Amino acid sequence: MKALSVRFMDAVRAEFYSYIRFYKNNRAFLFAAFIWPYLMMMLLLGLGYLFGDPRMYAERLGVRSPVLFVVSASTVAMSSVFIIDEVAGYTLYNRWNGTLPYLILVPMPLSKRLLSASIPSVLLSPAISVISALPVAVYIEGLRGFMLVTSLYASIILGMLPLAGLSVIVAGLVLTTKEESNVASSLAPFMLLVSGVFYPVTILPKILQEVSVVVPVRYVVDIAKSLASTTAAGQLYVAIYALTLMAFAYNLFTVPLLSRVEARVRMYGFE
Amino acid sequence: MGLSEKAYKLKAILYLHALRTWRYKYSFINSSINTMLWVTIFLLGAILFAKPEDLPRIAPVMFWGVSAWNTVSYTVLFIAGWTTWFLVTTGLVEEHFLHNTSLSTLLSGRLVSVVFESIIAIALVYFVLSSVVGGMDIADNPLFIAYGLMCMIAMALGYGLILSATGLRLSIPGTLLDISNFVVFIVGGIATPVEMLPRPLRLVAIVIPYSHAAEVLRYGAVRIEPYLGLGLEVALSGILGAGMLTAGLLYYKYVEDRYVRIHGVKGIGRM
């Protein structure tokens, strides 16, 4: 039986290959991924300029450049959406294609199988968003803009680690629901909503402010706000500690939860 | 194909989509919540640009802007996005050809899901926005609102069919289709009255068909005088709606007969 097992690193390598081939074969999709942060930025700034004044926005958020802040926030938002959609959508896509039975039959625990699928998303999807944001950041703030966006990449990676655990759990749960789409896809916008991605968390109802304390994206947004802030970045270290703690906590639950999902799938199958 | 056979097929397709909406109710509910969350994220951000005293005046305009956009973008996404991601991936295109059923008829039935989804999403957005602003009047003349929305749906259906047919040849993913939706929302006179746009953008808005139906809708909602006058905007909306729908159906038939039945379809490739 041991001779049949697949090494984790081999699965990761295969997933990287698959991820890169996907974008290579679907260049229109890659193009869309690059311009998505700009579309989000355009939507918010477009609404803002039409209905009000960007100086008021900058003043209320305490940031120097509203455009730079919105670009950074959109980058964080897109990375979070990508990872949840890609990892949770992984099982769904393979189910539609008819390749899911082969993945389930791979001699490897489901938790490791899905975790290996999440690694390329964790590393590469924020890279796509960050690279797309770089030109505007450099144009507006020069070297400072470059430093800001590259530091943001490190913080997004840190923020994606707990999200990877969460996404793997969602991907496993998608296997047990007999639905046509990812029924948990509203998780990504919900996390963005409570994280105050384009506004201060304080404008949200009290209950949502309390929920946001356990949402990793909130701390990545806090880091983005600190980096773009006009005042001292006091909350930066708190955010980094919180994300490190969450990376361990969220991934701790992944393996036992997925073992139960795997047992259920092997017992009852999936549609 | 006789009239009775056409009616039979239409009935079957409407039944199919109503049944699918019920069968996949969690996906459907998730989709409505998803929309509401995304819209709320952007609205909360955009509100920070506005002066507090202006909010009661601009909130109904924002509400109908996002409601109309939601309806249009979901019509396009549920038709064009669904074709590439679901119909082609699951191999259902050939299945329908074998039963001598045009894909355009099948896809038009997706309006059943769009209408249900839009009703829930619009109600949720009203709930969120009115609780932020503290109540708002949104319907002065429901007849114009219904007419404006119906014309927009007809235009979006025609546009969705054109993109879907093009996607069968080029494997354009649904995500790429969203790009035009974002652009149209801001410069297409959906988010704000055409009169409020900067002068060069007004010309762009007039060229985009949705702007005329949106002007009629806003007249019905808050009595904002349409940019080209009420009579002309009503006539243009009807003509453009019928024209785009006819163009979509004719183009689909052309692509099906001249390309897909001969060469097959292109899906989203991975390897």
Side-chain angles (χ1 to χ4, degrees), chain B residues 117-161:
Chain B
E117 192 278 340
S118 298
I119 290 170
I120 295 179
I122 288 173
L124 288 172
V125 171
Y126 176 79
F127 172 73
V128 170
L129 200 57
S130 61
S131 38
V132 170
V133 180
M136 54 182 182
D137 271 343
I138 52 161
D140 185 68
N141 188 332
L143 202 65
F144 283 111
I145 295 176
Y147 179 78
L149 276 176
M150 273 168 54
C151 290
M152 286 181 113
I153 289 175
M155 291 171 194
L157 178 58
Y159 178 60
L161 287 173

Side-chain angles (χ1 to χ4, degrees), chain B residues 187-189 194 197 199-212 215 227-228 233 236 240:
Chain B
V187 302
V194 176
L197 292 170
R199 189 167 282 276
L201 286 185
R202 285 182 211 169
L203 296 173
V204 178
I206 289 172
V207 176
I208 295 172
Y210 296 128
S211 68
H212 306 290
E215 288 288 285
Y227 188 62
L228 299 176
E233 295 284 26
L236 274 175
L240 288 169

